Amino acid sequence: MTAEGEVGRARPRKEDARLLTGQTTWTDNIQAPGLLHLAFLRSPMAHARVDRVDVSPALERPGVVAAFTGRDLAGSLGSLPCAWPVTEDIVLPDHPALAVDEVRHAGDPVAVVVARDRYAAADALEAVEVDYTPLPPVLDLAAALAEDAPLVHADRGTNRCYDWPLRSGEDFAAVRDRAAVTLKRRYHQQRLIANAMEPRAVVVTPLAASGEYTVYSATQIPHVLRVMLAMVTGVPEHKLRVVAPDVGGGFGSKLQVYGEEVVALELARRLGRPVKWTESRSEGYLATHHGRGMIQDIEIAADRDGKLLGLKVDLLADMGAYLMLVTPGVPILGAFMYPGIYKMDSYEFSCTGVFTTRTPTDAYRGAGRPEATYAIERIMDELAAELSLDPVELRRRNWIRHEEFPYPTIAGLTYDSGNYEAATEKALALFGYGELRAEQHKRAERGDPVRLGIGVSTYTEMCGLAPSRVLRDLRYAAGGWEAAAVRMLPTGKVEVVTGTSPHGQGHVTSWSQIAADVLGVPFEDVEVVHGDTRAAPQGMDTYGSRSLVVGGAAVHRAAEKVVAKARKVAAHLLEASERDLEFTAGVFAVKGSPEARKTMQEIAFETFTSHDLPDGVEPSINAEHVVDPENFSYPHGTHLCAVEVDTETGQTRIRSYVCVDDVGRVVNPVIVEGQVHGGLAQGIGQALYEEAVYDDEGNLVSGTMADYLVPAASDLPYFVTDRTETPATSNPLGVKGVGESGTIASTPAVVGAIVDALRPLGVTDVPMPCTPERVWRAIEEATA
């Protein structure tokens, strides 16, 4: 071990060599004797009554083994789960894995065919006969709430899913009355599609003799999936093993319990054969849940000097056709973040969830926090323009100062640490803010058709989805804890068992660094076990930037327990008091007698032989730990974007992008950089390129990569990134989380820069994504 330790070192990822050389186990790679393949017939209509489904013609096709309708499976399967009923009176409609009487979005499955190969299964779908009676689509969120609106779920009598309010501080109406300036704005959060590199897939293998099933799934949540599969199918949980093998990205889209997983388990049970389903890209656009989808009405009140007095937020959130695992809770996560990093006297929030005949929404990278950051940062820019203040100066006048931490926010959270001033000053210096503002003014003075705009985003977010008692109060069905175990093997090697389940984040490398530091063993000697409910039976999985904050903390604590157990054995072997032992770089040594020493590896072997252990000490130094934090963690930072906008064509080019993030203590800078870069790409994607578009009949018209634009490397600028560091106080590592920060901060920075460039022309908003056509139209409308 080196004196500087592992945490903080820029280690290349252990995972990458195997992944890059194709030595991977994606779910679709998994084979089993007698494997059958599934294909799902999906509704071509957004809303229709299902009058008849006849699968018998498909049974006559070559290679077809079986075929089932929704009615065939209805008696065996429960409704797909929603784990976050955010209010007592929430409308919770049934959600069958296969539609029975009605389809409610294009892509809703109505039948499944089982064949000996995937091509035979897909070909047989065209033989299935379905009669539909069209019903009116429900697409407009406001119109869906009208008394005479057609209903997505007629048996529920309403398209209103829930109303969720939050009010804090002074009455907003009173604050508005005494404010010198009030502004109202409406922002649209378009629907987004995750586009993970690996499509969804599931393989189920039955063991008939014992009634056990192994479910391999491209999922972020093997432990949650196991519980939910048991509840929906009735297969006892102890008879289910769920494995998340190599998973190629998720971004929230695999934080889900999908009907295809449920159907695959049921058919493996019925047929006694292993089954596999892998979605096509076109299926993924229709059937994998979407993100965002929201109308935001924002009102802000301030005095003449720009001091914030209050904020009012009213949301209409598109649930889509059904409530999936955490659909209703996603907008509520954002409720606590609309005030951002700012101080104010009043805050009012309300969210109305609305059913529509579109693909259900659910978690997408950031899950509610990007939407909140976008709204507050955009309206802060509008307030700065109204008051003729520099947008950075307005933020300085209102943010929480570093000496005020820990700070109880108006939304009811307690931010434990931060330094917004330091991050902003570093970002401004790296960006050359003053020089760019000077250039901007010169361009405007000479009437340059290519305008320069500067966007500012000063953000914070709540990470580490926990603690369990807070989740209870929010009516979330699960906890926020995380588990880990550390096993010292007789040869001195280490196994770290984690309940978090990676899909690209670098857990194996980071967890190895954490364990190596605590135990004093070489980084290379640590193996990390994950993603298998048999090998790692306890866990709450990976989402919400919780893995390092909660899961990494559990690894750290479990490793500390190993050291404490090893200390007892070492003291006995060295014939010394535990108090007289020093433990440094993996070596127990007697104070003042450095020659009297035992390494951690030696202790591991001595424990294995058990020849000379203290009385009453069990022959094991292995340890487990479950962490349930008392608070969230709060990374923050400042992102600055400079764009050039061609006013004649509407074309936008990002000229420079600088971000300074504070993610607490950094375990591995290489991984942090990768997470930031990936997050920036997705946030910029929302700002400039991505949108799930539906026509008037509810058909998804952006259902391929030719229609749904995802930024390529050539579309992105060179990112200048840096960090400040204020350690978190909510976990022993001082870490804060970084997986979503880039996505949360970048979208308002980019859109704000575009509006800043065009504000002299009268433009105050450009709807996302800010395509050249939309930018051009905004200019034409403002200058008409």
Side-chain angles (χ1 to χ4, degrees), residues 660-727:
V660 175
D661 295 294
D662 189 326
V663 298
R665 191 180 180 199
V666 171
V667 173
N668 189 317
V670 173
I671 291 176
V672 168
E673 287 290 294
Q675 289 288 317
V676 170
H677 283 205
L680 294 176
Q682 284 188 284
I684 291 170
Q686 178 174 7
L688 297 180
Y689 301 105
E690 300 184 40
E691 183 177 20
V693 180
Y694 287 82
D695 66 15
D696 291 341
E697 299 301 315
N699 300 304
L700 182 67
V701 297
S702 57
T704 72
M705 283 190 168
D707 311 298
Y708 184 95
L709 302 184
V710 178
S714 57
D715 298 313
L716 300 171
Y718 178 83
F719 299 126
V720 177
T721 64
D722 208 334
R723 290 184 297 277
T724 56
E725 184 175 310
T726 53

Side-chain angles (χ1 to χ4, degrees), residues 540-565:
M540 289 303 299
D541 305 316
T542 294
Y543 42 86
S545 296
R546 71 185 301 275
S547 289
L548 180 60
V549 174
V550 191
V555 171
H556 179 88
R557 292 299 195 199
E560 287 184 327
K561 286 183 175 180
V562 170
V563 174
K565 286 185 172 184

Side-chain angles (χ1 to χ4, degrees), residues 415-426:
Y415 296 171
D416 64 325
S417 68
N419 192 328
Y420 309 139
E421 306 97 303
T424 303
E425 291 309 313
K426 181 177 276 193

Side-chain angles (χ1 to χ4, degrees), residues 270-473:
R270 289 194 179 202
L271 302 173
R273 298 267 298 273
V275 300
K276 176 191 286 189
W277 172 76
T278 301
E279 75 174 358
S280 66
R281 281 289 173 190
S282 58
E283 276 187 297
Y285 280 87
L286 286 169
T288 296
H289 74 242
H290 294 177
R292 313 288 192 256
M294 185 185 294
I295 298 173
Q296 303 170 304
D297 287 312
I298 313 297
E299 184 175 0
I300 199 167
D303 68 16
R304 183 56 60 188
D305 294 325
K307 180 182 181 296
L308 296 187
L309 301 177
L311 180 69
K312 189 173 187 292
V313 177
D314 294 300
L315 306 182
L316 288 179
D318 188 352
M319 304 287 97
Y322 303 102
L323 301 183
M324 299 192 77
L325 193 64
V326 295
T327 302
V330 169
I332 306 310
L333 275 177
F336 302 97
M337 301 312 299
Y338 278 87
I341 66 172
Y342 308 115
K343 297 180 286 188
M344 59 190 71
D345 302 324
S346 172
Y347 175 50
E348 290 192 10
F349 172 93
S350 69
C351 177
T352 298
V354 183
F355 289 112
T356 63
T357 53
R358 286 185 281 233
T359 301
T361 59
D362 208 294
Y364 177 79
R365 196 170 190 169
R369 284 77 53 82
E371 298 93 310
T373 299
Y374 182 85
I376 185 62
E377 290 303 287
R378 290 283 292 108
I379 203 164
M380 285 293 283
D381 286 345
E382 295 301 299
L383 180 60
E386 181 74 15
L387 296 172
S388 299
L389 283 174
D390 181 277
V392 175
E393 175 58 28
L394 177 65
R395 287 162 169 82
R396 282 196 184 104
R397 295 183 184 186
N398 287 285
W399 63 36
I400 303 158
R401 299 187 305 275
H402 70 276
E403 66 270 15
E404 295 178 285
F405 290 97
Y407 187 87
T409 75
I410 190 71
L413 301 175
T414 298
Y415 296 171
D416 64 325
S417 68
N419 192 328
Y420 309 139
E421 306 97 303
T424 303
E425 291 309 313
K426 181 177 276 193
L428 293 171
L430 290 170
F431 191 63
Y433 186 79
E435 295 86 343
L436 283 169
R437 283 293 184 200
E439 180 185 344
Q440 181 186 44
H441 293 147
K442 289 179 181 177
R443 284 198 186 195
E445 286 174 358
R446 66 174 182 258
D448 193 329
V450 179
R451 296 296 182 109
L452 179 64
I454 297 168
V456 181
S457 176
T458 49
Y459 80 98
T460 187
E461 62 155 325
M462 52 193 289
C463 283
L465 195 59
S468 296
R469 291 182 180 181
V470 172
L471 298 180
R472 172 202 63 195
D473 294 342

Side-chain angles (χ1 to χ4, degrees), residues 27 30 32 35-36 38 202-206 212-217 229 240-241 260-269 273-277:
T27 302
I30 294 169
L35 183 67
L36 300 174
L38 309 184
V202 59
V203 173
V204 182
T205 61
E212 295 178 293
Y213 300 87
T214 298
V215 179
Y216 301 91
S217 180
L229 285 177
L240 279 175
R241 174 190 179 194
E260 294 88 354
E261 293 165 317
V262 171
V263 170
L265 177 56
E266 174 61 17
L267 296 191
R269 176 165 63 177
R273 298 267 298 273
V275 300
K276 176 191 286 189
W277 172 76

